[in-house]
């Protein structure tokens, strides 16, 4: 009898051990959910750094920081991006105006916010010019931000009265070289982007102008129309009404390619002048924003800037529609960096 009981106990023990062994080697077993050796364990799978993930972004209101006053061209371009972006991202996008410091206050505001993609800064030539001019804190550099997109770009343009003696940009430059300082070239203010573009034209061609500053492009255009200046350097969009009326004509634009709105106007590059100066309006984020969040922003806003609704709003505002994705925005900023380093060095030298 004792032998029978012992045999039965031994058999039961073998069954128990076999069952335990089966559970410990079963990848779907729920009896040991915390085991690190369990390849089917959900927590282990989620923590695997090689596992691709899609960010849960955005899930709340987003903010675009505009460094200039409400109602201006930059503010308008950013509000178009915000309005069109809401349907793409499914969230409210606000525009906050943080003015001052020649635009640096707004960039600092964006850098001081959490680098989580919910606060976007303005992508413009300020990222290049403000540090070079010494008008921004040390933390504000182009490298501190990664571009997301551009929706509007206004290249510098040489504009003259319709009855001016110059019919081509080459004639204009040749005259400014042969008769140094004789051409009165109006701009929107000393140190303004259009004045800097004129200095760039001098550096690249050997021409020399008599720079006449005004309080904004409107005053410079009026001076040119009234015969108080021989030419004006500003964007073609700012003089569009006078160009269309036949009172002014555009000789060239400082863009990488011809403008769709002025297909007959050459770029400076076409005559061998390496000058790109474009007043860009778009978006960027802090460079250390998580990569997956940045990619979500790049993909989403690429869809936004290429939408018909966005294009219509930009053109209705009489601005140049220039949709550039993140890569294209980075490329044009790079193309301008070398120009501006030389231009601003020359400007500071002449102002000293």
């Amino acid at each position: 009898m004792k032998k029978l009981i012992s045999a039965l106990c031994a058999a039961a023990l073998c069954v128990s051990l076999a069952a335990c062994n089966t559970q410990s080697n079963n990848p779907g077993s729920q009896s040991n959910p915390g085991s690190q050796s369990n390849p089917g364990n959900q927590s282990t799978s989620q923590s695997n750094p090689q596992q691709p993930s899609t960010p849960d972004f955005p899930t709340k209101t987003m903010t675009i920081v505009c460094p200039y006053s409400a109602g201006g061209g930059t503010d308008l371009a950013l509000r178009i991006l915000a309005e069109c972006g809401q349907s793409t991202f499914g969230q409210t996008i606000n525009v906050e105006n943080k003015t001052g410091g020649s635009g640096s206050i707004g960039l600092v505001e964006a850098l001081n916010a959490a680098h989580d993609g919910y606060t976007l800064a303005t992508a413009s030539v300020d990222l290049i010019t403000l540090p070079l001019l010494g008008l921004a804190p040390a933390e504000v550099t182009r490298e501190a931000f990664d571009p997301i997109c551009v929706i509007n770009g206004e290249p510098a343009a040489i504009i003259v009265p319709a009855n001016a003696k110059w019919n081509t940009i080459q004639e204009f430059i040749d005259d400014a070289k042969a008769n140094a300082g004789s051409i009165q070239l109006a701009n929107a203010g000393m140190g303004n982007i259009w004045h800097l573009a004129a200095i760039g034209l001098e550096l690249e061609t050997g021409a020399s102008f008599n720079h006449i500053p005004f309080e904004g492009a409107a005053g410079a255009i009026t001076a040119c129309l009234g015969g108080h200046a021989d030419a004006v350097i500003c964007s073609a969009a700012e003089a569009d009404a006078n160009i269309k009326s036949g009172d002014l004509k555009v000789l060239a634009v400082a863009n990488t390619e011809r403008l769709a709105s002025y297909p007959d106007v050459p770029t400076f590059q076409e005559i061998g002048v390496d000058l790109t100066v474009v007043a860009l309006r778009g978006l960027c984020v802090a460079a250390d924003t998580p990569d997956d969040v940045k990619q979500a922003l790049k993909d989403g806003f690429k869809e936004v800037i290429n939408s018909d609704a966005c294009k219509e709003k930009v053109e209705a505002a009489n601005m140049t529609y220039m949709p550039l994705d993140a890569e294209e925005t980075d490329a044009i900023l790079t193309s301008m960096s070398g120009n501006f380093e030389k231009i601003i060095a020359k400007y500071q030298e002449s102002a000293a």
Side-chain angles (χ1 to χ4, degrees):
M1 185 67 177
K2 288 182 179 181
K3 290 182 179 180
L4 177 60
I5 293 174
S6 297
L8 291 172
C9 288
L13 180 61
C14 290
V15 171
S16 176
L17 288 173
C20 289
N21 187 55
T22 300
Q23 283 186 334
S24 66
N25 288 287
N26 182 358
S29 171
Q30 297 179 0
S31 65
N32 190 14
S35 172
Q36 294 183 352
S37 63
N38 183 354
N41 184 280
Q42 186 176 7
S43 63
T44 301
S45 175
Q46 290 177 343
S47 64
N48 185 349
Q50 296 180 346
Q51 178 106 2
S53 63
T54 300
D56 188 16
F57 176 90
T59 59
K60 60 181 182 180
T61 297
M62 302 160 70
T63 299
I64 298 172
V65 181
C66 176
Y68 299 107
S69 300
T74 300
D75 175 75
L76 181 55
L78 297 181
R79 290 184 187 277
I80 291 173
L81 283 171
E83 181 182 352
C84 295
Q86 289 182 165
S87 60
T88 297
F89 289 97
Q91 298 293 336
T92 298
I93 304 178
N94 295 323
V95 175
E96 292 186 359
N97 301 88
K98 300 290 183 180
T99 62
S102 300
S104 65
I105 297 299
L107 293 173
V108 171
E109 180 81 11
L111 282 178
N112 287 341
H115 297 177
D116 55 8
Y118 286 96
T119 301
L120 296 99
T122 301
S124 70
V125 292
D126 288 348
L127 296 176
I128 302 170
T129 59
L130 290 180
L132 290 173
L133 289 166
L135 297 177
E139 66 269 26
V140 176
T141 64
R142 185 189 166 201
E143 292 72 26
F145 297 92
D146 277 350
I148 297 299
C149 71
V150 158
I151 186 57
N152 163 239
E154 305 294 353
I158 294 293
I159 302 170
V160 299
N163 60 357
K165 61 181 178 180
W166 313 286
N167 291 309
T168 67
I169 188 61
Q170 191 63 63
E171 291 175 355
F172 182 80
I173 292 171
D174 289 344
D175 193 359
K177 291 169 67 176
N179 302 285
S182 64
I183 296 177
Q184 294 180 317
L185 182 58
N187 63 58
M190 301 300 281
N192 175 277
I193 185 173
W194 306 140
H195 175 225
L196 296 177
I199 294 174
L201 185 56
E202 290 179 324
L203 288 172
E204 293 297 328
T205 64
S208 178
F209 303 105
N210 180 8
H211 301 279
I212 311 295
F214 289 85
E215 289 292 330
I221 293 167
T222 299
C224 186
L225 286 167
H228 305 296
D230 298 311
V232 58
I233 185 166
C234 63
S235 71
E238 289 169 304
D240 185 67
N242 302 111
I243 296 167
K244 287 180 177 176
S245 69
D247 295 318
L248 298 175
K249 59 185 177 184
V250 190
L251 298 183
V253 293
N255 197 31
T256 53
E257 58 186 42
R258 294 191 180 196
L259 297 177
S261 51
Y262 295 96
D264 297 328
V265 176
T267 66
F268 285 111
Q269 282 84 354
E270 289 179 53
I271 62 165
V273 178
D274 183 19
L275 183 66
T276 302
V277 177
V278 184
L280 299 174
R281 291 158 177 162
L283 301 173
C284 58
V285 290
D288 60 355
T289 300
D291 289 341
D292 53 356
V293 171
K294 280 193 289 189
Q295 193 60 53
L297 287 168
K298 291 175 182 179
D299 292 343
F301 276 108
K302 184 174 183 178
E303 177 183 329
V304 170
I305 62 175
N306 287 295
S307 68
D308 291 339
C310 201
K311 180 178 185 292
E312 290 169 5
K313 291 179 184 296
V314 170
E315 292 179 341
N318 197 35
M319 297 192 297
T320 303
Y321 175 59
M322 189 178 290
L324 305 177
D325 62 22
E327 185 177 337
E328 292 166 332
T329 301
D330 187 62
I332 197 168
L333 285 170
T334 298
S335 72
M336 288 194 286
S337 292
N339 284 138
F340 275 116
E341 287 177 8
K342 295 182 292 184
I343 291 168
I344 290 175
K346 180 65 176 178
Y347 169 66
Q348 292 174 326
E349 177 187 321
S350 62

